[in-house]
Amino acid sequence: MTDAANEPTSPTRLDRLRAMLEAEPDDGFLLYGIAQECQKHGRLDEAIAFYDRAIACDPKQCYAFFHKAKALEQARRHGEIADVLRAGLARARTVGDFKAANEIEGFLDDVAG
């Protein structure tokens, strides 16, 4: 019989991503991944902060705007959502990510409509 309390715990996905981020602190993809994990676990303020970092570090992280808006929606910070989506739509169009632009625009239509 094993004693689960004495067994070492394995690192979570979030722990592994944070460890990777130590080596690459400005990696937009890692920042986005950490934000996704935080959001998945209901750590919305932390998720929003990591989405902001991803947006600042990597101009091509257009989906960070979309998911930041979703996190804001979950956090009931509705007054901020449309501005985030408008900025994301402009960024997506600038970098030529038309798939992201369409999804962001659809969400914006739902929020504004």
Side-chain angles (χ1 to χ4, degrees):
M1 182 175 206
T2 62
D3 184 358
N6 292 328
E7 290 182 22
T9 58
S10 62
T12 65
R13 179 177 169 89
L14 186 56
D15 292 334
R16 290 188 304 270
L17 288 170
R18 286 182 187 272
M20 292 168 61
L21 189 63
E22 288 180 26
E24 297 287 336
D26 293 327
D27 185 311
F29 186 72
L30 282 173
L31 291 164
Y32 176 80
I34 291 169
Q36 291 277 279
E37 284 297 307
C38 290
Q39 186 172 356
K40 182 169 82 174
H41 295 288
R43 297 161 63 174
L44 301 176
D45 289 337
E46 195 173 355
I48 291 164
F50 276 103
Y51 286 127
D52 283 338
R53 286 181 60 190
I55 289 165
C57 289
D58 185 353
K60 294 192 177 191
Q61 284 297 332
C62 298
Y63 280 101
F65 289 94
F66 180 88
H67 289 287
K68 177 183 176 184
K70 288 289 189 181
L72 289 167
E73 183 177 54
Q74 286 178 273
R76 293 178 169 72
R77 291 169 51 183
H78 299 281
E80 301 169 60
I81 296 170
D83 288 341
V84 168
L85 292 170
R86 284 186 195 101
L89 182 57
R91 173 80 64 87
R93 287 177 175 161
T94 297
V95 301
D97 188 340
F98 300 108
K99 184 176 186 299
N102 285 336
E103 291 187 41
I104 292 168
E105 190 170 29
F107 188 14
L108 182 58
D109 289 345
D110 289 344
V111 171

